[in-house]
Each structure stands twice: as C-alpha cells, then as structure tokens.
Amino acid sequence: MPIRICLAAVVALLTAVLTAATGSALARPMLLISTENGPDHVQTLIVRRFVDRVRDCCADRIDVDHRFGGELYRDRDVLAALVQGKIGMAVAGTWQLDQVAPDTGAFMLPVFYGRTAEEAALVQDGPAVEAMNGQIEEGLGAIVLGRWIGLGFAHVFTTRTAVADVDDLAGLRIRSPGGVANAWRLAALGAEPVTIAWNDLPRALAEDRVDGLITTFATLDSVPLWTRGVRFALEDRQYFSHYVPLVSD
C-alpha cells in the first residue's frame, strides 16, 4: 500500500528535518510551502486543511507559511526550489516529476487513456506507487509525506474549435501542464504541445496564443476560463492526474 503517515508522525518528521536544517531546537522551525494554484483550487484547499491541522495540534513546535497562487514559485520551478532548500514543502503534479522519477509518467501512458477512476485507483493504491515514491525520494532528495492526492481526469478543452474526437485535435496548439508524456501524447494525436505557466494561461487564451488546454474540470472551475474563451470539451480522460506531497530532506 502507498505510504500513509498520521498527522503526529508528519509533524515529528517535519520538526526533525527542519530543526536539523536550522541547527537549533530552541526556535520553532518554519515550514514554507509553495503551490501555484489559486485560492479555490483543490490543491490549495487540501494544503490549507493540512496547515490548519498542523497549527491546531502543534503550533508550539512548528510554524507554517503557505504561499499559493504562484506567489513564490511556479510549478515549473518549485521542484528546483525544494531541492535547493528555498522552500520546505511542495505539492507537485506527477506530470512534473517524470524527469526525476520516470515511472510517475505511467498514468499518462496510452494504457491509461480513457480508463475509469476505479482502474486508476488499482494502481494508485498498489505497490507500483511505492516504487514510484522511492524514485521520487531518491531523485529529489525529498520525502513523500503521504498518499497521493487525486485531482481527477484530465481532458482537452478548446476555444474556437469544437472537438468531437481526437482527430479534431490535429493542428491545434494545446497548452500542456508540462512533462514528457504529455508532450508525446499531444504530438502523437497531431496537436502542437505548448507549455505555459498556469498564471499566464488566461492571457494566452485571450490573445489566441493557444487553441485549448489539457486540464481537469476541478482546475477549470477554480479559474473561470470560460470567461477567457474556453467553450468546448473533449471528455476523453487523457490521464488521471495526481499531486504528490513532498518535503525537502
């Protein structure tokens, strides 16, 4: 089964790691968390809940500062910041992790295309994820704090072009959240993958620099991109996306 750690054990782990980093057990260590999405996104809401629980139980042992909305780092830069010790915690998408832990790209391979959430869960809750966690920890020098966070299926959303099937993606410029597997899959479907930071996407859509994007309904709902031209959806379950909670060692 994937790693599951109770809150008290997480706090003990974080305190030990951060105290070792500061070299002092007298002052409360600071856990600085950076995420990219806005206040209404599921990533932000879940991290806020984690922060509230840590503060409720252990305010005398550890301080927590959560910066969201890309205030500190965008997703493309957050792993480097974690490795360099500029932040203590990140909640990275599996599409960001495939360069340091290639097996995390498994959820984006063709075998998962169009699968059900139950089928994805068979892998998420199985031994394969334990092996992926090992790759992540070795590749980043980080600790996987707990169970991966399921964000849901990623689909294709477009602005001016209605898409009834994957053949309609040919020639379209589709924003990718990043990762080798996303770029390969879009290219194989005939689209042009374009990597744009999430905070820059509304403007890119308004300026017609892309014809659409890969994202989840939860993410689309957190920032009303239909006000920036998104009109159509191809609900094709490109892959089941996850966030991985990580703390620097």
Side-chain angles (χ1 to χ4, degrees):
M1 299 296 290
I3 299 171
R4 290 182 174 84
I5 307 176
C6 70
L7 185 61
V10 167
V11 172
L13 171 65
L14 293 173
T15 303
V17 168
L18 294 172
T19 300
T22 60
S24 172
L26 298 177
R28 290 194 303 271
M30 168 62 73
L31 176 65
L32 181 59
I33 308 172
S34 175
T35 56
E36 184 180 69
N37 290 295
D40 297 323
H41 192 274
V42 62
Q43 180 197 48
T44 309
L45 298 176
I46 288 175
V47 175
R48 276 180 170 176
R49 185 170 64 186
F50 169 77
V51 169
D52 289 342
R53 291 181 64 190
V54 171
R55 286 174 175 162
D56 287 344
C57 81
C58 309
D60 60 332
R61 297 171 56 192
I62 187 170
D63 290 327
V64 187
D65 184 6
H66 176 209
R67 306 291 183 90
F68 56 89
E71 179 183 347
L72 291 179
Y73 297 100
R74 297 180 178 183
D75 277 351
R76 66 188 180 194
D77 303 317
V78 74
L79 293 179
L82 188 73
V83 170
Q84 295 164 9
K86 295 177 180 178
I87 58 173
M89 182 175 172
V91 184
T94 48
W95 54 93
Q96 300 167 255
L97 292 164
D98 59 8
Q99 293 191 40
V100 295
D103 286 350
T104 58
F107 286 96
M108 290 176 275
L109 293 176
V111 68
F112 273 104
Y113 191 102
R115 297 283 184 169
T116 66
E118 290 75 18
E119 288 171 318
L122 290 175
V123 177
Q124 180 187 349
D125 292 327
V129 167
E130 290 187 26
M132 294 177 195
N133 285 340
Q135 279 192 350
I136 294 168
E137 293 183 341
E138 182 179 355
L140 287 175
I143 298 165
V144 179
L145 281 186
R147 190 176 189 269
W148 293 9
I149 301 165
L151 179 58
F153 283 110
H155 311 286
V156 176
F157 299 86
T158 56
T159 53
R160 299 174 302 280
T161 304
V163 283
D165 56 45
V166 292
D167 291 338
D168 296 329
L169 298 177
L172 298 183
R173 295 164 297 167
I174 302 296
R175 183 261 180 183
S176 163
V180 174
N182 273 326
W184 283 353
R185 186 178 61 259
L186 283 171
L189 294 174
E192 177 187 347
V194 180
T195 302
I196 297 174
W198 182 251
N199 291 350
D200 298 333
L201 182 59
R203 183 173 179 177
L205 287 168
E207 295 176 350
D208 293 332
R209 285 190 276 131
V210 291
D211 302 304
L213 68 153
I214 297 177
T215 192
T216 66
F217 279 109
T219 302
L220 192 75
D221 192 47
S222 71
V223 180
L225 291 181
W226 51 88
T227 65
R228 301 301 179 99
V230 173
R231 297 178 57 200
F232 305 103
L234 176 63
E235 206 170 343
D236 61 345
R237 301 177 183 172
Q238 294 242 342
Y239 62 93
F240 197 94
S241 52
H242 300 86
Y243 285 115
V244 182
L246 301 164
V247 64
S248 171
D249 68 356

